[in-house]
Amino acid sequence: MKITKLICAPGKTGFYFDDQKAIKQGAKNDGAFYEGTPVTPGFTSVRQAGEAISVIFVLENGAFAHGDCAAVQYSGAGGRDPLFLAENFIPIIEKHIAPLYVGKDITTFREMADLVDKGINPETGKIYHTAIRYGVTQACLDAVAKSKGKLMAQVIAEEYGTKISKNIIPIFSQSGDDRYLNADKMIMKAADVLPHALFNHVETKVGLKGEKIKEYIQWLRDRILKLRPSDSYNPVIHIDVYGTLGIVFDNDFETIANYVGELAEIAKPFHLRVEGPVDMGEKTAQIDALRIIRQKMEEKNIAAEIVADEWCNTLQDVIDFSVHKAGHMAQIKTPDLGGINNSIEAVLYCKEHEMGAYLGGTCNETNRSAEICAHIAMATSPVQYLAKPGMGVDEGYMIVYNEMSRILVVSR
Protein backbone atom coordinates (compact mmCIF):
# COMPACT_ATOMS: atom_id res chain seq x y z
CA MET A 1 0.00 0.00 0.00
CA LYS A 2 1.22 3.49 -0.85
CA ILE A 3 0.86 6.94 0.65
CA THR A 4 -0.80 9.17 -1.95
CA LYS A 5 -0.83 12.55 -0.20
CA LEU A 6 0.42 14.45 2.85
CA ILE A 7 -1.78 17.15 4.38
CA CYS A 8 -0.91 19.54 7.23
CA ALA A 9 -3.50 21.03 9.58
CA PRO A 10 -2.52 23.71 12.11
CA GLY A 11 -3.66 22.84 15.62
CA LYS A 12 -3.70 23.82 19.26
CA THR A 13 -2.15 21.94 22.14
CA GLY A 14 -3.51 21.15 25.57
CA PHE A 15 -1.48 23.84 27.31
CA TYR A 16 0.95 26.68 26.62
CA PHE A 17 4.50 27.58 25.70
CA ASP A 18 6.22 29.07 28.76
CA ASP A 19 9.51 30.96 28.79
CA GLN A 20 11.20 28.98 31.57
CA LYS A 21 14.17 31.31 31.81
CA ALA A 22 11.94 34.35 32.33
CA ILE A 23 9.96 32.49 35.00
CA LYS A 24 13.15 31.50 36.83
CA GLN A 25 14.25 35.13 36.68
CA GLY A 26 11.09 36.23 38.47
CA ALA A 27 8.18 36.61 36.05
CA LYS A 28 5.01 36.63 38.17
CA ASN A 29 1.66 34.94 37.61
CA ASP A 30 -1.20 37.17 36.49
CA GLY A 31 -4.19 34.88 36.25
CA ALA A 32 -3.47 32.43 33.43
CA PHE A 33 -0.77 34.79 32.14
CA TYR A 34 2.67 35.81 33.37
CA GLU A 35 3.81 39.38 33.84
CA GLY A 36 7.24 40.24 32.54
CA THR A 37 9.37 40.35 29.42
CA PRO A 38 10.30 37.17 27.56
CA VAL A 39 14.00 36.38 27.35
CA THR A 40 14.09 33.16 25.30
CA PRO A 41 14.36 33.76 21.54
CA GLY A 42 11.07 33.37 19.63
CA PHE A 43 8.76 34.16 22.53
CA THR A 44 6.53 37.22 22.23
CA SER A 45 5.28 36.84 25.82
CA VAL A 46 6.34 34.80 28.83
CA ARG A 47 3.34 32.53 28.25
CA GLN A 48 1.67 32.03 24.88
CA ALA A 49 -0.76 29.58 23.34
CA GLY A 50 0.69 26.19 22.44
CA GLU A 51 0.60 25.19 18.79
CA ALA A 52 0.71 21.88 16.94
CA ILE A 53 0.60 20.57 13.39
CA SER A 54 -1.40 17.48 12.44
CA VAL A 55 0.39 15.54 9.71
CA ILE A 56 -2.10 13.45 7.76
CA PHE A 57 -1.14 10.69 5.33
CA VAL A 58 -3.80 9.77 2.78
CA LEU A 59 -3.37 6.08 2.06
CA GLU A 60 -3.96 4.30 -1.23
CA ASN A 61 -7.16 2.71 0.04
CA GLY A 62 -8.58 6.09 1.08
CA ALA A 63 -7.80 5.70 4.78
CA PHE A 64 -6.12 8.45 6.80
CA ALA A 65 -3.16 8.02 9.15
CA HIS A 66 -2.06 10.93 11.27
CA GLY A 67 0.16 12.17 14.05
CA ASP A 68 0.63 15.49 15.78
CA CYS A 69 3.80 17.57 15.78
CA ALA A 70 4.16 19.21 19.19
CA ALA A 71 6.91 20.62 21.39
CA VAL A 72 7.33 20.85 25.13
CA GLN A 73 5.98 23.60 27.36
CA TYR A 74 9.46 24.93 28.06
CA SER A 75 10.64 25.10 24.45
CA GLY A 76 14.05 26.66 23.91
CA ALA A 77 15.19 25.79 27.46
CA GLY A 78 17.66 23.17 28.67
CA GLY A 79 19.26 22.66 25.27
CA ARG A 80 15.98 22.10 23.41
CA ASP A 81 14.99 23.14 19.90
CA PRO A 82 13.43 26.61 19.49
CA LEU A 83 9.79 27.61 19.77
CA PHE A 84 7.52 25.58 17.47
CA LEU A 85 5.01 27.75 15.65
CA ALA A 86 2.76 26.18 13.00
CA GLU A 87 3.11 28.92 10.41
CA ASN A 88 6.89 28.59 10.46
CA PHE A 89 7.03 24.82 10.07
CA ILE A 90 4.11 23.79 7.82
CA PRO A 91 6.01 25.06 4.76
CA ILE A 92 9.03 22.95 5.73
CA ILE A 93 6.90 19.81 6.09
CA GLU A 94 5.14 20.41 2.78
CA LYS A 95 8.36 21.20 0.91
CA HIS A 96 10.83 18.72 2.36
CA ILE A 97 8.97 15.99 4.29
CA ALA A 98 6.15 15.22 1.86
CA PRO A 99 8.51 14.03 -0.92
CA LEU A 100 9.99 11.47 1.49
CA TYR A 101 6.65 9.66 1.72
CA VAL A 102 4.18 10.59 -1.01
CA GLY A 103 4.05 7.95 -3.71
CA LYS A 104 6.13 5.54 -1.61
CA ASP A 105 5.19 2.12 -0.28
CA ILE A 106 4.33 1.66 3.39
CA THR A 107 7.07 -0.61 4.69
CA THR A 108 8.08 -1.07 8.33
CA PHE A 109 7.70 1.54 11.03
CA ARG A 110 11.42 1.63 11.77
CA GLU A 111 12.34 2.13 8.13
CA MET A 112 9.74 4.85 7.60
CA ALA A 113 10.61 6.62 10.84
CA ASP A 114 14.27 6.82 9.89
CA LEU A 115 13.45 8.78 6.74
CA VAL A 116 12.46 11.85 8.75
CA ASP A 117 14.21 11.20 12.04
CA LYS A 118 17.64 10.85 10.40
CA GLY A 119 16.90 13.14 7.49
CA ILE A 120 18.70 16.44 6.94
CA ASN A 121 16.94 19.69 6.14
CA PRO A 122 18.66 20.83 2.92
CA GLU A 123 18.08 24.48 3.82
CA THR A 124 19.88 24.30 7.17
CA GLY A 125 22.10 21.24 6.87
CA LYS A 126 20.72 20.07 10.22
CA ILE A 127 18.25 17.42 11.34
CA TYR A 128 14.62 18.49 11.44
CA HIS A 129 13.03 20.13 14.48
CA THR A 130 12.14 17.59 17.16
CA ALA A 131 8.43 18.43 16.83
CA ILE A 132 8.43 17.61 13.11
CA ARG A 133 10.14 14.28 13.70
CA TYR A 134 7.77 13.56 16.59
CA GLY A 135 4.56 14.07 14.62
CA VAL A 136 5.63 12.56 11.30
CA THR A 137 6.85 9.35 12.95
CA GLN A 138 3.49 9.06 14.73
CA ALA A 139 1.82 9.21 11.33
CA CYS A 140 4.25 6.54 10.08
CA LEU A 141 3.31 4.18 12.90
CA ASP A 142 -0.39 4.76 12.27
CA ALA A 143 0.08 4.14 8.55
CA VAL A 144 1.86 0.83 9.13
CA ALA A 145 -0.80 -0.25 11.62
CA LYS A 146 -3.64 0.63 9.25
CA SER A 147 -1.96 -1.10 6.33
CA LYS A 148 -1.71 -4.29 8.41
CA GLY A 149 -5.04 -4.05 10.22
CA LYS A 150 -3.26 -4.09 13.60
CA LEU A 151 -2.96 -1.93 16.70
CA MET A 152 -0.03 0.46 16.80
CA ALA A 153 1.11 -1.31 19.98
CA GLN A 154 1.13 -4.61 18.10
CA VAL A 155 3.32 -3.12 15.37
CA ILE A 156 5.79 -1.88 17.99
CA ALA A 157 5.82 -5.23 19.80
CA GLU A 158 6.49 -7.10 16.54
CA GLU A 159 9.27 -4.81 15.32
CA TYR A 160 11.07 -4.44 18.66
CA GLY A 161 10.56 -7.92 20.05
CA THR A 162 8.47 -6.92 23.06
CA LYS A 163 5.20 -8.09 24.56
CA ILE A 164 2.15 -5.94 25.13
CA SER A 165 1.53 -5.34 28.83
CA LYS A 166 -1.26 -7.34 30.46
CA ASN A 167 -1.98 -4.37 32.72
CA ILE A 168 -2.47 -0.65 32.31
CA ILE A 169 0.86 1.12 32.85
CA PRO A 170 0.92 3.24 36.06
CA ILE A 171 -0.26 6.75 35.22
CA PHE A 172 1.50 9.86 36.51
CA SER A 173 -0.89 12.79 36.72
CA GLN A 174 0.29 16.42 36.89
CA SER A 175 -1.42 19.26 38.69
CA GLY A 176 0.09 22.46 37.39
CA ASP A 177 -0.04 25.34 39.85
CA ASP A 178 -3.41 24.18 41.21
CA ARG A 179 -1.61 21.59 43.31
CA TYR A 180 -4.26 21.31 46.02
CA LEU A 181 -7.60 20.97 44.20
CA ASN A 182 -6.02 18.92 41.44
CA ALA A 183 -4.47 16.55 43.98
CA ASP A 184 -7.99 15.78 45.15
CA LYS A 185 -8.96 14.87 41.59
CA MET A 186 -5.99 12.51 41.36
CA ILE A 187 -6.86 10.80 44.62
CA MET A 188 -10.46 10.42 43.50
CA LYS A 189 -9.35 8.77 40.26
CA ALA A 190 -6.74 6.69 42.11
CA ALA A 191 -3.84 7.98 40.02
CA ASP A 192 -0.84 5.71 40.49
CA VAL A 193 1.69 8.56 40.66
CA LEU A 194 1.00 12.15 41.67
CA PRO A 195 1.02 15.20 41.64
CA HIS A 196 4.06 16.77 39.83
CA ALA A 197 3.09 20.06 41.55
CA LEU A 198 5.18 22.47 39.43
CA PHE A 199 7.65 23.75 42.04
CA ASN A 200 9.39 26.07 39.60
CA HIS A 201 9.84 29.26 41.66
CA VAL A 202 11.88 29.52 44.85
CA GLU A 203 10.22 32.34 46.75
CA THR A 204 6.58 31.59 45.99
CA LYS A 205 6.53 27.79 45.75
CA VAL A 206 9.66 26.13 47.12
CA GLY A 207 10.55 28.42 50.01
CA LEU A 208 13.91 30.02 50.70
CA LYS A 209 14.88 26.97 52.78
CA GLY A 210 12.66 24.47 51.00
CA GLU A 211 10.03 24.78 53.72
CA LYS A 212 7.07 25.24 51.38
CA ILE A 213 7.69 21.91 49.69
CA LYS A 214 7.86 20.23 53.08
CA GLU A 215 4.53 21.78 54.06
CA TYR A 216 2.96 20.61 50.83
CA ILE A 217 4.26 17.03 51.11
CA GLN A 218 2.86 16.84 54.64
CA TRP A 219 -0.50 18.14 53.42
CA LEU A 220 -0.56 15.71 50.47
CA ARG A 221 0.36 12.73 52.60
CA ASP A 222 -2.43 13.49 55.05
CA ARG A 223 -4.87 14.19 52.23
CA ILE A 224 -4.21 10.82 50.59
CA LEU A 225 -4.63 8.98 53.90
CA LYS A 226 -7.90 10.81 54.53
CA LEU A 227 -9.47 10.49 51.07
CA ARG A 228 -7.99 7.42 49.42
CA PRO A 229 -10.66 5.15 47.97
CA SER A 230 -9.25 2.06 49.73
CA ASP A 231 -6.40 1.04 52.01
CA SER A 232 -4.76 -0.64 49.03
CA TYR A 233 -4.31 2.70 47.27
CA ASN A 234 -0.64 3.58 47.78
CA PRO A 235 0.44 6.06 45.13
CA VAL A 236 3.97 7.28 44.53
CA ILE A 237 4.47 10.97 45.35
CA HIS A 238 6.45 12.48 42.48
CA ILE A 239 7.28 16.18 42.51
CA ASP A 240 9.15 18.25 39.92
CA VAL A 241 11.31 21.02 41.35
CA TYR A 242 12.88 22.35 38.12
CA GLY A 243 16.39 22.68 39.51
CA THR A 244 15.30 24.95 42.36
CA LEU A 245 16.95 22.83 45.07
CA GLY A 246 20.26 23.76 43.49
CA ILE A 247 19.35 27.41 43.96
CA VAL A 248 18.10 26.98 47.52
CA PHE A 249 21.07 24.92 48.67
CA ASP A 250 23.74 26.51 46.45
CA ASN A 251 24.36 23.22 44.60
CA ASP A 252 25.61 21.53 47.76
CA PHE A 253 24.86 17.96 46.70
CA GLU A 254 25.13 16.40 50.14
CA THR A 255 22.73 18.97 51.57
CA ILE A 256 20.35 18.31 48.68
CA ALA A 257 20.53 14.55 49.32
CA ASN A 258 19.79 15.15 53.00
CA TYR A 259 16.85 17.40 52.11
CA VAL A 260 15.40 14.74 49.80
CA GLY A 261 15.75 12.32 52.70
CA GLU A 262 13.78 14.70 54.92
CA LEU A 263 11.04 14.89 52.29
CA ALA A 264 11.00 11.10 52.04
CA GLU A 265 10.39 10.81 55.78
CA ILE A 266 7.52 13.29 55.57
CA ALA A 267 6.01 11.40 52.62
CA LYS A 268 5.87 8.04 54.40
CA PRO A 269 4.16 5.63 54.01
CA PHE A 270 4.27 6.72 50.38
CA HIS A 271 7.34 6.45 48.17
CA LEU A 272 8.89 9.73 46.97
CA ARG A 273 10.45 10.79 43.67
CA VAL A 274 12.02 14.22 43.13
CA GLU A 275 12.46 15.28 39.53
CA GLY A 276 15.10 17.78 38.46
CA PRO A 277 16.69 18.62 41.83
CA VAL A 278 19.36 20.76 40.15
CA ASP A 279 19.92 22.39 36.78
CA MET A 280 23.65 22.80 36.19
CA GLY A 281 23.27 24.58 32.87
CA GLU A 282 24.87 21.95 30.67
CA LYS A 283 24.83 18.19 30.18
CA THR A 284 28.17 17.00 31.60
CA ALA A 285 27.77 18.96 34.82
CA GLN A 286 24.17 17.76 35.11
CA ILE A 287 25.23 14.12 34.79
CA ASP A 288 27.91 14.59 37.44
CA ALA A 289 25.49 16.31 39.79
CA LEU A 290 22.76 13.68 39.59
CA ARG A 291 25.33 10.88 39.84
CA ILE A 292 26.77 12.36 43.03
CA ILE A 293 23.35 13.05 44.57
CA ARG A 294 22.28 9.46 43.84
CA GLN A 295 25.52 8.12 45.36
CA LYS A 296 25.06 10.18 48.50
CA MET A 297 21.44 9.09 48.82
CA GLU A 298 22.47 5.45 48.54
CA GLU A 299 25.27 5.91 51.08
CA LYS A 300 22.73 7.37 53.50
CA ASN A 301 20.10 4.69 52.70
CA ILE A 302 17.61 7.35 51.66
CA ALA A 303 14.57 5.50 50.35
CA ALA A 304 13.62 7.95 47.62
CA GLU A 305 14.51 8.50 43.97
CA ILE A 306 15.69 11.44 41.90
CA VAL A 307 14.61 11.80 38.29
CA ALA A 308 16.66 13.18 35.41
CA ASP A 309 14.87 15.70 33.21
CA GLU A 310 16.76 18.85 32.16
CA TRP A 311 19.66 18.19 29.76
CA CYS A 312 18.39 14.64 29.26
CA ASN A 313 16.65 15.39 25.99
CA THR A 314 17.74 12.92 23.31
CA LEU A 315 18.11 9.16 23.04
CA GLN A 316 21.87 9.58 23.44
CA ASP A 317 21.29 11.72 26.52
CA VAL A 318 19.12 9.01 28.07
CA ILE A 319 21.86 6.49 27.33
CA ASP A 320 24.54 8.72 28.85
CA PHE A 321 22.56 9.46 32.03
CA SER A 322 21.82 5.75 32.40
CA VAL A 323 25.44 4.67 31.91
CA HIS A 324 26.61 7.09 34.60
CA LYS A 325 23.71 6.28 36.95
CA ALA A 326 22.82 9.96 36.93
CA GLY A 327 19.62 9.65 38.87
CA HIS A 328 17.41 6.68 39.62
CA MET A 329 14.97 7.35 36.78
CA ALA A 330 15.05 9.21 33.48
CA GLN A 331 12.14 11.08 32.05
CA ILE A 332 11.85 10.18 28.39
CA LYS A 333 10.25 13.45 27.35
CA THR A 334 8.78 12.17 24.11
CA PRO A 335 8.66 15.39 22.04
CA ASP A 336 12.26 16.19 22.96
CA LEU A 337 13.51 12.89 21.54
CA GLY A 338 12.14 13.67 18.09
CA GLY A 339 10.93 10.50 16.37
CA ILE A 340 8.88 8.20 18.57
CA ASN A 341 11.25 5.43 17.49
CA ASN A 342 13.76 7.08 19.84
CA SER A 343 11.30 7.03 22.75
CA ILE A 344 10.72 3.33 22.18
CA GLU A 345 14.44 2.63 22.18
CA ALA A 346 14.99 4.84 25.22
CA VAL A 347 12.48 2.89 27.32
CA LEU A 348 14.05 -0.40 26.28
CA TYR A 349 17.58 0.87 27.00
CA CYS A 350 16.64 2.07 30.49
CA LYS A 351 15.02 -1.26 31.30
CA GLU A 352 18.15 -3.12 30.23
CA HIS A 353 20.50 -0.87 32.24
CA GLU A 354 18.84 -0.56 35.66
CA MET A 355 17.47 2.93 35.09
CA GLY A 356 13.82 3.62 35.77
CA ALA A 357 12.02 4.45 32.54
CA TYR A 358 9.47 7.23 32.86
CA LEU A 359 7.67 7.67 29.53
CA GLY A 360 6.82 11.31 29.87
CA GLY A 361 6.19 14.21 27.57
CA THR A 362 4.58 17.53 28.21
CA CYS A 363 1.29 19.12 29.12
CA ASN A 364 1.73 21.00 25.83
CA GLU A 365 0.88 18.01 23.61
CA THR A 366 -2.36 16.90 21.98
CA ASN A 367 -4.84 14.10 22.46
CA ARG A 368 -3.40 12.38 19.39
CA SER A 369 0.21 12.33 20.56
CA ALA A 370 -0.95 11.17 24.00
CA GLU A 371 -2.90 8.27 22.50
CA ILE A 372 -0.02 7.16 20.30
CA CYS A 373 2.39 7.32 23.23
CA ALA A 374 -0.07 5.11 25.12
CA HIS A 375 0.65 2.45 22.49
CA ILE A 376 4.38 2.90 23.15
CA ALA A 377 3.75 2.50 26.88
CA MET A 378 1.71 -0.67 26.50
CA ALA A 379 4.26 -2.17 24.10
CA THR A 380 7.38 -1.33 26.14
CA SER A 381 6.18 -1.33 29.80
CA PRO A 382 7.94 1.69 31.36
CA VAL A 383 7.68 2.27 35.12
CA GLN A 384 5.13 5.03 34.56
CA TYR A 385 3.42 6.98 31.78
CA LEU A 386 2.45 10.64 31.94
CA ALA A 387 -1.20 11.70 31.80
CA LYS A 388 -1.24 14.30 29.04
CA PRO A 389 -1.99 16.82 27.65
CA GLY A 390 -3.02 19.72 29.89
CA MET A 391 -2.87 20.40 33.60
CA GLY A 392 -6.53 19.85 34.42
CA VAL A 393 -5.98 16.21 35.52
CA ASP A 394 -9.31 14.78 34.34
CA GLU A 395 -8.82 15.25 30.61
CA GLY A 396 -5.27 13.96 30.30
CA TYR A 397 -5.90 11.06 32.67
CA MET A 398 -8.99 10.08 30.70
CA ILE A 399 -7.17 10.14 27.35
CA VAL A 400 -4.25 7.92 28.35
CA TYR A 401 -6.23 5.59 30.63
CA ASN A 402 -8.93 4.94 28.06
CA GLU A 403 -6.49 4.35 25.21
CA MET A 404 -4.48 1.89 27.29
CA SER A 405 -7.70 0.19 28.38
CA ARG A 406 -8.74 -0.24 24.76
CA ILE A 407 -5.33 -1.68 23.86
CA LEU A 408 -5.57 -4.05 26.83
CA VAL A 409 -8.90 -5.57 25.86
CA VAL A 410 -8.31 -5.68 22.10
CA SER A 411 -4.87 -7.30 22.36
CA ARG A 412 -5.90 -10.10 24.70
Side-chain angles (χ1 to χ4, degrees):
M1 188 181 296
K2 296 182 184 294
I3 296 170
T4 62
K5 191 175 183 181
L6 184 153
I7 304 169
C8 288
K12 300 295 184 184
T13 66
F15 204 64
Y16 313 100
F17 291 124
D18 284 346
D19 184 344
Q20 187 186 64
K21 190 172 182 180
I23 293 169
K24 284 187 174 182
Q25 290 180 1
K28 306 293 185 184
N29 278 112
D30 178 17
F33 291 81
Y34 278 94
E35 294 179 343
T37 302
V39 295
T40 299
F43 279 83
T44 54
S45 59
V46 177
R47 168 169 285 178
Q48 56 194 77
E51 299 185 18
I53 300 171
S54 284
V55 175
I56 306 162
F57 288 153
V58 182
L59 309 188
E60 198 171 18
N61 65 353
F64 299 94
H66 77 283
D68 281 357
C69 304
V72 297
Q73 174 189 7
Y74 296 115
S75 291
R80 298 185 178 100
D81 278 351
L83 194 65
F84 186 75
L85 302 178
E87 67 176 2
N88 294 340
F89 289 95
I90 285 178
I92 294 173
I93 296 171
E94 292 176 339
K95 182 177 181 180
H96 298 299
I97 304 301
L100 299 176
Y101 295 99
V102 175
K104 308 293 177 60
D105 287 324
I106 297 170
T107 56
T108 65
F109 164 67
R110 298 175 82 162
E111 182 178 335
M112 293 178 69
D114 277 351
L115 291 176
V116 64
D117 193 56
K118 296 181 179 177
I120 301 297
N121 184 337
E123 295 180 6
T124 64
K126 299 178 180 179
I127 59 175
Y128 292 100
H129 193 290
T130 49
I132 291 177
R133 293 185 280 135
Y134 189 46
V136 173
T137 54
Q138 292 170 38
C140 291
L141 178 60
D142 192 24
V144 173
K146 283 186 165 64
S147 72
K148 292 186 171 185
K150 294 184 176 181
L151 294 173
M152 288 181 278
Q154 291 172 326
V155 171
I156 295 169
E158 288 178 2
E159 293 198 21
Y160 289 86
T162 65
K163 293 184 179 180
I164 295 175
S165 175
K166 297 185 182 300
N167 300 290
I168 289 175
I169 302 303
I171 298 172
F172 174 28
S173 189
Q174 54 183 344
S175 66
D177 279 321
D178 200 356
R179 61 187 62 82
Y180 292 93
L181 179 62
N182 278 344
D184 279 3
K185 297 178 184 179
M186 297 170 191
I187 297 167
M188 189 180 300
K189 282 187 161 60
D192 304 286
V193 189
L194 75 168
H196 186 269
L198 200 69
F199 290 110
N200 61 354
H201 191 268
V202 171
E203 292 182 3
T204 61
K205 301 176 184 179
V206 176
L208 296 177
K209 296 181 179 179
E211 71 279 1
K212 292 188 177 183
I213 291 181
K214 288 184 175 181
E215 292 168 2
Y216 179 78
I217 295 294
Q218 179 67 62
W219 174 86
L220 180 61
R221 170 194 176 277
D222 293 343
R223 195 71 173 165
I224 296 169
L225 292 173
K226 177 182 178 181
L227 298 175
R228 60 181 176 178
S230 71
D231 290 343
S232 63
Y233 176 57
N234 291 292
V236 172
I237 295 177
H238 180 141
I239 60 171
D240 192 344
V241 299
Y242 294 89
T244 55
L245 299 188
I247 299 171
V248 171
F249 299 111
D250 196 26
N251 287 329
D252 183 323
F253 302 144
E254 183 157 10
T255 301
I256 291 170
N258 289 336
Y259 176 77
V260 172
E262 292 170 8
L263 294 181
E265 288 298 315
I266 296 170
K268 286 181 177 178
F270 307 113
H271 184 64
L272 177 72
R273 295 189 183 118
V274 178
E275 184 173 347
V278 297
D279 184 347
M280 303 302 293
E282 58 92 19
K283 177 180 169 180
T284 301
Q286 186 76 356
I287 288 175
D288 286 342
L290 296 191
R291 175 182 57 80
I292 293 169
I293 294 170
R294 173 176 170 171
Q295 283 180 346
K296 291 187 177 298
M297 289 174 62
E298 291 174 350
E299 289 169 3
K300 298 170 185 290
N301 294 316
I302 294 172
E305 296 171 284
I306 55 169
V307 183
D309 180 9
E310 304 299 334
W311 304 101
C312 187
N313 300 328
T314 67
L315 173 58
Q316 188 59 52
D317 291 343
V318 172
I319 292 170
D320 293 340
F321 275 73
S322 299
V323 166
H324 291 91
K325 298 188 182 302
H328 302 87
M329 173 180 281
Q331 179 181 180
I332 299 159
K333 190 164 281 189
T334 53
D336 279 340
L337 271 72
I340 58 171
N341 49 312
N342 298 315
S343 292
I344 294 167
E345 292 181 18
V347 173
L348 298 179
Y349 188 91
C350 285
K351 291 176 65 176
E352 292 170 0
H353 293 83
E354 299 181 347
M355 182 69 129
Y358 158 26
L359 187 65
T362 175
C363 51
N364 193 47
E365 293 190 53
T366 70
N367 60 307
R368 182 59 177 168
S369 64
E371 289 168 350
I372 292 178
C373 287
H375 285 260
I376 297 173
M378 290 296 286
T380 60
S381 298
V383 175
Q384 63 190 42
Y385 174 46
L386 180 67
K388 57 185 183 179
M391 291 283 199
V393 176
D394 299 306
E395 300 85 354
Y397 189 92
M398 170 192 69
I399 288 169
V400 303
Y401 182 94
N402 289 357
E403 187 69 8
M404 287 195 288
S405 181
R406 287 186 285 264
I407 296 165
L408 188 64
V409 298
V410 171
S411 62
R412 282 176 178 165

